[in-house]
Amino acid sequence: MMTASGWSANQFSALLGAYRSELGLSESTVTGLFAVYVVGLVPGLLLGGPLADRRGRRPVALTALAVNLLSSCLLMAGSAATGWLLPGRFLTGVSAGALLAAGSAWVKELSCPPHASDAAAGTAARRAGLFVSAGFASGGLVAALIAQWLPHPMATAYLPHVVLAAVAWAVAHGAPETGRRAARTRPGPEPGAPARPAAAPDWRRFRRAVLPLAPWVFAAPAVGFATLPGLVDGGLAGWRTVYAGIATAVVPGSGLLVQPLARRLAARHRLATGAAGLGVIAAGLALAVPAAAGARPGLALVAAALLGAGYGLALSFGLTEAAAAAPPERLAMVTSLFWTAAYLGMLTPYALALLSRRWSMPVLLAAGAVLAALTCGVLAALHRTAEADRTPA
């Protein structure tokens, strides 16, 4: 289910150039359709998380996946009637948001006792991110390859996701509930015992550890697969769609490959994974400067790989910290807030496009590298402040 969510998000991104060339859509129309995904995603996240805490993970996640499948069917219909593209993209965002919120909590709880053996700290929280990244990597690449070589690409490119979502729904339908509905079947307190007050999330930890880093989680990959390919495509005549698909695969693929490193860093120090992620993002943005200035596709892919590695480290840290800050009965809600803050980073390409009217793109990328490094320093300073607050006087 989580792979299908990531797949649905990125399959459209790899087809942006094809929509311009095959269907004759204008640049503003294509950009608007890309943005509609985020417009649907935010309410999907903010509503899906609390709803999953109240109604259960299973019904919310299964319903969201069914809508996710429907959204791809609407996008397929858009190849014949472009009016279907807008509702298709909007429903993709809504369903992906609800699925990220409910599904992340469901995966985390199914990875812990009594459903599974006790895993290492943070492993359960990171699993949802791993499978979402797998969908990000696969969806864009497969859609780009289909668009390059198969007939009727604006319809056939969505068929793999339709099949994946249908199979995922059938398989996940038998998974047990882990949220509030399951909690109602557990033994309650002894008669006459005082009611236990509902635990509140650790908002201080969330503000200090999660919020500073969260926007970088998707700012980095958005630059890697949405901004950089357009800056270096001068020498890619006839291969722009394939190159875009490779970029959408390289970025999250690198995020998957660094997960063993993320586990080792987390075992050494709680902050190490987040700090390393921001450092690698800063390095990727710095390398993107000469790639953009010289229109060098190969160097841009290396920069995209670094940005993807930073994304993987930052995502692992953010999901782990969000889960640590949330009591069990508020896990989906806190996770949805993390995803919402993270997806704000998807607006980075639009911010860069607007700012590029005044400053050159290499200058903006260099400024981004400096800002990522400064964020790393802020994260470390907030951590030291938190440690000082916990130290007895």
Side-chain angles (χ1 to χ4, degrees):
M1 294 175 71
M2 302 307 291
T3 302
S5 174
W7 189 297
S8 71
N10 247 16
Q11 60 183 350
F12 187 87
S13 303
L15 299 174
L16 296 179
Y19 273 109
R20 289 189 289 266
S21 60
E22 295 285 335
L23 298 185
L25 299 182
S26 67
E27 182 69 32
S28 60
T29 300
V30 172
T31 302
L33 289 171
F34 186 85
V36 165
Y37 170 78
V38 181
V39 173
L41 182 86
V42 173
L45 282 166
L46 295 179
L47 297 176
L51 190 62
D53 284 331
R54 290 196 303 269
R55 301 295 184 183
R57 322 301 192 204
R58 189 172 179 272
V60 175
L62 289 174
T63 301
L65 183 60
V67 176
N68 198 242
L69 189 157
L70 173 64
S71 70
S72 279
C73 294
L74 293 178
L75 291 172
M76 291 174 66
S79 64
T82 56
W84 290 110
L85 294 175
L86 181 62
R89 282 296 288 167
F90 180 75
L91 287 181
T92 300
V94 172
S95 59
L99 189 52
L100 284 173
S104 296
W106 201 14
V107 169
K108 193 265 182 185
E109 291 166 345
L110 285 172
S111 301
C112 298
H115 304 285
S117 58
D118 201 5
T123 299
R126 286 193 293 265
R127 283 178 178 162
L130 286 172
F131 287 102
V132 170
S133 297
F136 285 149
S138 306
L141 179 60
V142 171
L145 295 177
I146 290 175
Q148 184 72 30
W149 284 298
L150 292 187
H152 310 295
M154 299 298 93
T156 54
Y158 296 105
L159 282 175
H161 175 258
V162 171
V163 174
L164 172 63
V167 172
W169 196 97
V171 174
H173 188 267
E177 177 58 76
T178 61
R180 292 297 296 271
R181 289 186 176 181
R184 292 177 193 146
T185 65
R186 298 175 191 139
E190 294 293 330
R196 182 176 64 87
D202 187 349
W203 293 120
R204 177 176 292 186
R205 181 171 188 170
F206 188 85
R207 289 193 302 268
R208 289 176 170 176
V210 177
L211 285 184
L213 172 137
W216 291 102
V217 170
F218 284 119
V223 171
F225 65 68
T227 299
L228 279 180
L231 299 176
V232 300
D233 67 355
L236 296 170
W239 295 93
R240 290 183 178 90
T241 300
V242 171
Y243 183 84
I246 291 173
T248 59
V250 165
V251 172
S254 300
L256 283 171
L257 292 176
V258 298
Q259 291 309 305
L261 174 62
R263 288 193 293 271
R264 289 196 293 270
L265 289 173
R268 291 187 175 185
H269 192 277
R270 175 191 146 204
L271 195 67
T273 309
L278 288 168
V280 174
I281 289 171
L285 289 171
L287 190 61
V289 173
R296 300 161 65 183
L299 188 60
L301 278 182
V302 176
L306 284 175
L307 291 169
Y311 148 81
L313 293 169
L315 179 61
S316 176
F317 176 81
L319 283 172
T320 301
E321 287 295 310
E329 60 270 24
R330 295 290 182 268
L331 177 61
M333 184 268 290
V334 174
T335 302
S336 70
L337 291 178
F338 162 72
W339 283 115
T340 302
Y343 263 101
L344 292 177
M346 290 291 285
L347 299 175
T348 301
Y350 306 103
L352 291 174
L354 291 175
L355 293 172
S356 65
R357 298 173 182 175
R358 182 168 183 179
W359 295 284
S360 69
M361 195 61 75
V363 169
L364 294 174
L365 292 171
V370 173
L371 188 57
L374 290 175
T375 306
C376 185
V378 169
L379 190 68
L382 291 174
H383 176 73
R384 286 194 296 269
T385 302
E387 291 297 313
D389 291 343
R390 285 194 290 267
T391 302

